[in-house]
Amino acid sequence: MNKKQTQRVLIASLVGSSIEWFDYFLYGTVAALVFNQLFFVNEDPTVGLLLAYASFALAFFIRPFGGVVFSHIGDRIGRKKTLVLTLSLMGIATFGMGLLPTYQAIGVWAPILLITLRLIQGLGIGGEWGGALLLAVEYAPEDKKGLFGSIPQMGVTIGMLMGTIALWIMTLLPDDSFMTWGWRVPFILSAFLVIFGLWIRKGIDETPAFKKVQESGEIPKLPIVDTLKYHWREVLIAIGAKVVETAPFYIFSTFIVSYATTNLGFDRTEALTAVMVATVVTTILIPIMGNLSDKVGRKKLYVTGTIAMALFAFPYFWMIQQGSVALLVLATVIGLGIIWAPITAVLGTMFSEIFEAKVRYTGISLGYQIGAAVAGGTAPLVATALLAEFNNSYIPVALYIVFTSLISLVAIWAVKDKGQQRAGQKILVKGSRV
């Protein structure tokens, strides 16, 4: 594959992933700022917020179903066709959200329609991640799989950054304007991003690994059955390893927006700025960490990040409790920007290396999406519930972050580090030439 083809594949993987996550995270942030007032109307503000976060969490539970449906298509028909379907689905749902009438206009139908569109988003993102990752990893040279696999992971933070910037601009509007129409603008404009993403993806070919499976005639009739029958251990490992990558992420990026504004006296713009700065830092670090994993191994980087996450849980909350904007930004940069980066950078490549090509789309999608459903979508909900239960004390929330780290350390213990093996093989080859 020449340089131009490589660039197009990586751009297709990154752009589609970024757009999908932009749509997805837009909902998460707006849920904390707008939906609790305009769609999930309740006399108790905490109940309204919990309902908004429940709708946020709901999509995580539909994601594994999206993963099963679209990974079946991906393992049977091909990665490329699947990625066009997932991106189109996400785009339609997000655009529709921007046009929805509120509770005040149509009553209970407003939250029902919003939740329906959120579920469609969940189906789309459930199939998108695995395809975007495999597009990059299955085109990658053997010694650059870590780097290539980290590129679609940047889509998570770029999408979040685009969503945060879009909302940050809108929050500069007067409150009445923001609540009336300002929040809708990013949802509606996302349609242009989707059209661009579909155009980029149209010009790429099917991955070499899938072509080999096609040529060998080993395409499984029901990839989900083969995966659960022969690779259930790998699925469990992936679910466990996903926990520390997803729960703290949503604490640092989504929960913090409502917590900092409601409990700590920061304004919306300050909270969003902290998340925005941290997101820029982690976006820069992800490919650096992916490249490093090709030299030192995926597992080593992942374990280092996971231990650091557990150690930083209490200092993080202490820092943001001080009421200083500078400390709020610094704490978010350390947690989301620096510590989280090596974990997410290697996660996708590590997952792809523990499954065979013929069920790879299904295997990584199941592990990733079930892990996200169990630990990710519930994280803001769990954190908010813990605060309400324990008198606004942050200690249970910090312990929750530590707990997620321990689960993932147990899971990752079973993974053989292929990145490290390749690094060792390269050293042996070089040594034999001397």
Side-chain angles (χ1 to χ4, degrees), residues 38-40 100-117:
L38 297 184
F39 288 87
F40 302 99
L100 277 183
T102 63
Y103 184 89
Q104 287 81 359
I106 59 169
V108 73
W109 280 105
I112 290 171
L113 289 172
L114 182 66
I115 287 169
T116 302
L117 291 175

Side-chain angles (χ1 to χ4, degrees), residues 385-402:
L386 286 172
L387 284 177
E389 179 68 25
F390 292 95
N391 244 358
N392 284 331
S393 169
Y394 67 80
I395 292 172
V397 186
L399 286 172
Y400 173 62
I401 293 175
V402 174

Side-chain angles (χ1 to χ4, degrees), residues 113-136:
L113 289 172
L114 182 66
I115 287 169
T116 302
L117 291 175
R118 181 61 175 164
L119 291 175
I120 293 171
Q121 272 194 337
L123 284 172
I125 202 77
E128 162 67 23
W129 178 82
L133 178 84
L134 294 184
L135 192 64

Side-chain angles (χ1 to χ4, degrees), residues 297-338:
R298 329 269 182 241
K299 190 171 178 178
K300 190 179 288 186
L301 275 182
Y302 178 92
V303 169
T304 302
T306 303
I307 291 170
M309 188 68 78
L311 295 175
F312 185 62
F314 281 92
Y316 167 74
F317 279 101
W318 180 85
M319 289 170 77
I320 63 176
Q321 290 281 328
Q322 303 310 304
S324 159
V325 176
L327 283 177
L328 172 68
V329 173
L330 181 61
T332 311
V333 166
I334 294 171
L336 179 60
I338 297 170

Side-chain angles (χ1 to χ4, degrees), residues 21-105:
W21 288 108
F22 167 75
D23 290 353
Y24 202 69
F25 286 128
L26 202 53
Y27 186 101
T29 310
V30 173
L33 299 175
V34 177
F35 292 161
N36 57 324
Q37 297 175 53
L38 297 184
F39 288 87
F40 302 99
V41 178
N42 195 281
E43 288 177 11
D44 185 345
T46 304
V47 173
L49 184 62
L50 283 170
L51 286 170
Y53 276 147
S55 72
F56 175 73
L58 199 59
F60 282 81
F61 291 100
I62 204 74
R63 274 168 60 173
F65 295 101
V68 170
V69 170
F70 289 109
S71 62
H72 175 85
I73 299 169
D75 278 333
R76 292 274 304 158
I77 299 169
R79 321 311 194 200
K80 180 186 168 179
K81 291 183 179 72
T82 312
L83 288 171
V84 170
L85 284 171
T86 57
L87 190 54
S88 302
L89 206 60
M90 284 289 289
I92 291 165
T94 306
F95 182 75
M97 284 177 185
L99 302 176
L100 277 183
T102 63
Y103 184 89
Q104 287 81 359

